[in-house]
Amino acid sequence: PAAPAPAAPAPKPAPTAPAVPASTRGETRVKMSRMRQRIAERLKEAQNTAAMLTTFQECDMGNLMELRSQFKDEFEKTHGVKLGFMSAFVKASTAALEEIPAVNAVIDDATKELVYREYCDVSVAVASPNGLVVPVIRNAETLSFADIEKTIAEYGKKARDGTLSLEEMSGGTFSISNGGVFGSLMGTPIINYSPQAAILGMHATKMRPVVYNGKVEARPMMYLALTYDHRIIDGREAVTFLKSVAQKIENPGRLLLDL
């Protein structure tokens, strides 16, 4: 008779997943602060209402950096406040807003009218223990570099102390956000809607090879972004505005000559 077939080998046990310590599977729930809830509501309102579009422009920061390096000590000694880059961007933005009024406009939904503001109230982001807050520099078009730096410094102190009032953070006709302080290379900021139709995004300054005076050189370059409400602002106006800001930053003398 035929020999019996050998018994099949016992199946190997299925591999077991490594045990995961229970401590790595926890969750923490934190109640959203009223500020965070309000920020969420405003951002979603902006996305749902405005026809947002972003345009970009690169900007050579070399001349502004040289100007700041040359005068920062004298500026601080004279005015009692440090000279930063934000004052130059505020001045350049307010000048460009006066050149392109549509960027400083808003829609009145009740009357279906475009409202062109003849003043520039610029919202700037400053850090606070509870996150970024956006106080408003009123009539920024009338202020000097020193006035703007003093206002920003005062708002920064109030933000750290938690003493900013709602009035100081309300309104604004235009916003400037500086993601570059955190290392952001490029981004698309969200409009602070309403009552604003545009926001300027500053980013990190990086050395990049560019053609400068006919030669390829490493220059300190920043990407600028303008997110705007396309219901109010046409592409031509948005690009013209952003190019104007970049030109004023690249050659700060244009600000002194109202060019």
Side-chain angles (χ1 to χ4, degrees):
K12 295 181 179 180
T16 58
V20 178
S23 60
T24 65
R25 299 288 295 168
E27 294 180 348
T28 301
R29 290 177 177 263
V30 178
K31 188 72 174 178
M32 290 178 67
S33 66
R34 292 180 62 185
M35 178 184 293
R36 177 55 57 185
Q37 292 180 51
R38 183 57 179 156
I39 289 172
E41 291 171 1
R42 292 294 297 274
L43 293 179
K44 197 58 187 171
E45 179 187 8
Q47 284 188 323
N48 292 342
T49 306
M52 287 193 289
L53 184 64
T54 303
T55 186
F56 298 94
Q57 185 75 30
E58 64 178 1
C59 179
D60 189 327
M61 295 288 290
N63 289 334
L64 182 60
M65 293 172 68
E66 182 179 349
L67 183 71
R68 178 178 180 270
S69 178
Q70 182 179 356
F71 292 108
K72 63 179 182 180
D73 293 336
E74 186 177 351
F75 184 92
E76 184 175 4
K77 182 179 179 180
T78 301
H79 300 291
V81 66
K82 293 182 178 179
L83 176 61
F85 294 127
M86 184 58 79
S87 56
F89 277 94
V90 171
K91 291 290 291 182
S93 295
T94 56
L97 287 171
E98 293 178 327
E99 295 167 2
I100 313 293
V103 184
N104 204 37
V106 67
I107 294 177
D108 186 333
D109 292 318
T111 62
K112 303 302 180 185
E113 294 175 329
L114 285 175
V115 181
Y116 293 90
R117 277 79 66 97
E118 298 176 0
Y119 54 91
C120 301
D121 289 351
V122 180
S123 304
V124 293
V126 298
S128 77
N130 296 320
L132 290 178
V133 291
V134 190
V136 181
I137 303 174
R138 310 284 178 187
N139 291 104
E141 79 280 5
T142 67
L143 302 180
S144 66
F145 281 77
D147 291 332
I148 294 170
E149 292 291 355
K150 289 176 182 177
T151 303
I152 293 173
E154 180 183 358
Y155 280 150
K157 183 178 184 302
K158 286 186 174 182
R160 291 188 297 272
D161 297 341
T163 57
L164 273 175
S165 67
L166 288 176
E167 182 181 357
E168 290 171 323
M169 293 186 287
S170 62
T173 65
F174 182 77
S175 285
I176 300 177
S177 174
N178 186 6
V181 297
F182 306 109
S184 173
L185 181 64
M186 184 183 293
T188 55
I190 297 178
I191 297 169
N192 185 13
Y193 181 88
S194 166
Q196 299 182 17
I199 179 172
L200 175 69
M202 299 166 55
H203 298 94
T205 300
K206 300 287 186 182
M207 298 298 293
R208 294 204 308 273
V210 296
V211 177
Y212 183 76
N213 291 334
K215 298 179 181 179
V216 177
E217 295 184 13
R219 299 287 299 174
M221 305 297 294
M222 176 190 289
Y223 287 117
L224 299 178
L226 180 75
T227 298
Y228 59 98
D229 190 343
H230 214 340
R231 300 176 304 162
I232 304 172
I233 305 164
D234 292 333
R236 175 184 61 85
E237 294 169 319
V239 172
T240 303
F241 173 88
L242 192 56
K243 286 186 66 177
S244 178
V245 172
Q247 289 170 353
K248 290 172 172 56
I249 294 299
E250 290 182 336
N251 187 352
R254 299 179 72 90
L255 293 173
L256 300 177
L257 300 175
D258 293 327
L259 299 176

